[in-house]
Amino acid sequence: MNLLDRITTVLPRGTAFVGAGTAVLGVASYVHLAAAGHSLAVGDMASFSVLWTVVFSIGLGLFFPVEQEVTRLVAGRVVRGEGVLPVLRRGAVLSLGLLALVLVPLALFARRLADVFFHGDTGLVLALGGAFAALAVAYVTRGVLAGLGCFRAYGTQLGLDGALRIVLSGALAVAGVRSAAAFAAVLTVAPLLAVLATLGPVLRGARPGPQAEWRDLINHLGMLVGSTLLAQLLVNIAVISTKLIATDDDALVAALLSALVLARVPLFVFGAFQVSLLAGLSSAAAEGDTPGYRRLLLRALSVTAGLGVAGGIGAVALGPALLPTVFGAPDVLGAGDFAWLSLGTVLYMLAMVLGQALLTSGGARGQLTAWIVGTAVLVAVTLGPLQLRTRVELAYAAGSFAVATCMSLVLRARVSYRPVCS
């Protein structure tokens, strides 16, 4: 068996297709940030950085759990030979309900939010709402595609989203656009167009079936949303913490976002098999295949650790030079900063794998508890006496370590002494 064959057997089914789309989407993030960084003034880039952080923390925290639950339920129905249309309908209603919970406060407090985070630019508040709406739609369709095992279409949606971000943000930069709201609007337009282009496989695969009970979808959703929100806040909060604590330090805010994105290169690759990992674990749990479940989990942990270490070495070596040249970010961070951010990323990815295992083994409560503990550690370090930059970086690593440790203890007890499908 050659190296490629061995890698293929280690990773969950569908990783290659999702990986291709994730790679394009990952590159798009860098192109988007680089285009904005070279086009916007430092103050505008700081505002865009905060918006980006909110979208990919609160937005993902609310809507990615919907994808996870839809994936889990659809995968289970596929194993049983049941149609998944009722799950799609319930998931769509749920996602739109969560969207309303976000849009109403944005509308009511638009001026206040603009003054605090966006230098008074209400256009960025509107762009934030649009980005949330795009996520609400995209994650429901992705959940159905992943549960059905349609990873080619799933990867296509990710790839189209990324390609459109590259084209649109590049066009804005070439045209000399200097509006942060224009660059932010790309986060709405690109994913919505990608959803429309891949809606066919979703509708064709959504055959009628037994009625989906709300309790099946939302029984653990509250805990899952809480876990995912805390997870996204942990991985993104450094930018917001710096903005709130040092309101006038736009250079550090802008540099931190670019540094975090560079240090989290392995996370983009990790996303390539996170989706298929959840589908694989869900199927193994539905079939009662405990040995297969454990093998898949151990393989995922080993691949994740190796990926994180490799990415971290690259970030420490190249990160300080890439910030000003590639992203146009202020040159205020060094190798030590990237070391802390990379360590936090490795630990965070391991926590994400363990969290998927807890979700599919019925340990949603333990997952939430772990993220609460990690968030408490993060807050304690952030409010400590160290220099602000060191505090927010160390808080990311310490919080991630606390989460991974708690999850490993809970999961060891569950998988060792209880059936996976309990």
Side-chain angles (χ1 to χ4, degrees):
M1 181 181 292
N2 60 34
L3 178 60
L4 181 60
D5 290 335
R6 286 198 297 268
I7 293 174
T8 302
T9 59
V10 168
L11 297 176
R13 182 179 63 87
T15 296
F17 298 122
V18 181
T22 303
V24 177
L25 190 58
V27 171
S29 297
Y30 296 101
V31 173
H32 195 175
L33 287 175
H38 286 287
S39 301
L40 303 177
V42 173
D44 290 335
M45 185 59 192
S47 296
F48 178 73
S49 298
V50 172
L51 180 140
W52 180 288
T53 302
V54 173
V55 169
F56 293 105
S57 54
I58 295 177
L60 265 69
L62 284 175
F63 301 113
F64 182 58
V66 177
E67 175 186 333
Q68 290 181 300
E69 286 296 270
V70 170
T71 297
R72 181 179 63 82
L73 293 177
V74 170
R77 285 189 170 224
V78 169
V79 170
R80 297 188 297 270
E82 299 173 350
V84 303
L85 180 59
V87 177
L88 170 59
R89 290 172 174 169
R90 295 291 197 196
V93 172
L94 177 61
S95 191
L96 291 176
L98 292 173
L99 177 62
L101 290 178
V102 175
L103 294 184
V104 170
L106 283 182
L108 292 176
F109 303 105
R111 171 53 62 185
R112 177 60 178 165
L113 291 171
D115 290 340
V116 172
F117 293 108
F118 305 130
H119 296 292
D121 188 352
T122 54
L124 287 175
V125 180
L126 178 62
L128 181 61
F132 283 148
L135 292 179
V137 175
Y139 279 119
V140 174
T141 62
R142 293 176 188 175
V144 174
L145 291 173
L148 290 170
C150 297
F151 295 113
R152 187 186 298 273
Y154 190 107
T156 299
Q157 184 179 132
L158 297 182
L160 284 174
D161 187 354
L164 287 167
R165 293 189 197 189
I166 291 172
V167 172
L168 293 174
S169 61
L172 291 174
V174 171
V177 174
R178 299 290 182 265
S179 167
F183 281 95
V186 173
L187 297 175
T188 299
V189 176
L192 286 180
L193 290 177
V195 168
L196 288 175
T198 55
L199 196 57
V202 175
L203 298 179
R204 288 194 298 271
R207 296 183 295 103
Q211 181 64 39
E213 300 295 335
W214 276 113
R215 65 174 178 270
D216 294 333
L217 187 61
I218 66 175
N219 190 32
H220 300 298
L221 187 69
M223 289 183 288
L224 186 56
V225 168
S227 297
T228 310
L229 275 173
L230 292 177
Q232 293 302 319
L233 287 174
L234 191 152
V235 77
N236 290 300
I237 196 65
V239 174
I240 298 176
S241 298
T242 304
K243 176 66 177 178
L244 292 175
I245 296 173
T247 56
D248 296 327
D249 198 344
D250 288 336
L252 181 57
V253 172
L256 267 177
L257 174 63
S258 298
L260 278 167
V261 171
L262 273 175
R264 296 204 303 259
V265 167
L267 267 176
F268 291 108
V269 185
F270 169 72
F273 71 90
Q274 182 184 11
V275 175
S276 46
L277 172 64
L278 178 60
L281 290 174
S282 297
S283 297
E287 295 168 357
D289 183 10
T290 301
Y293 183 97
R294 290 173 178 163
R295 284 195 301 271
L296 181 57
L297 175 59
L298 290 174
R299 288 172 178 174
L301 288 170
S302 63
V303 171
T304 298
L307 180 65
V309 171
I313 293 173
V316 172
L318 303 175
L322 291 177
L323 280 188
T325 56
V326 175
F327 294 99
D331 188 9
V332 296
L333 300 177
D337 301 298
F338 278 94
W340 282 118
L341 295 175
S342 297
L343 175 60
T345 297
V346 174
L347 295 168
Y348 179 84
M349 290 195 303
L350 292 173
M352 292 297 289
V353 173
L354 294 168
Q356 300 283 278
L358 284 174
L359 173 64
T360 53
S361 66
R365 190 179 302 277
Q367 183 186 24
L368 177 58
T369 300
W371 285 113
I372 291 174
V373 171
T375 302
V377 171
L378 178 141
V379 171
V381 176
T382 301
L383 297 178
L386 300 175
Q387 181 186 17
L388 174 59
R389 184 174 63 186
T390 304
R391 271 187 279 160
V392 296
E393 293 165 355
L394 179 59
Y396 174 36
S400 299
F401 175 76
V403 175
T405 301
C406 290
M407 284 187 178
S408 63
L409 293 174
V410 175
L411 185 62
R412 180 178 181 181
R414 291 191 63 84
V415 175
S416 296
Y417 301 110
R418 298 180 60 182
V420 170
C421 55
S422 63

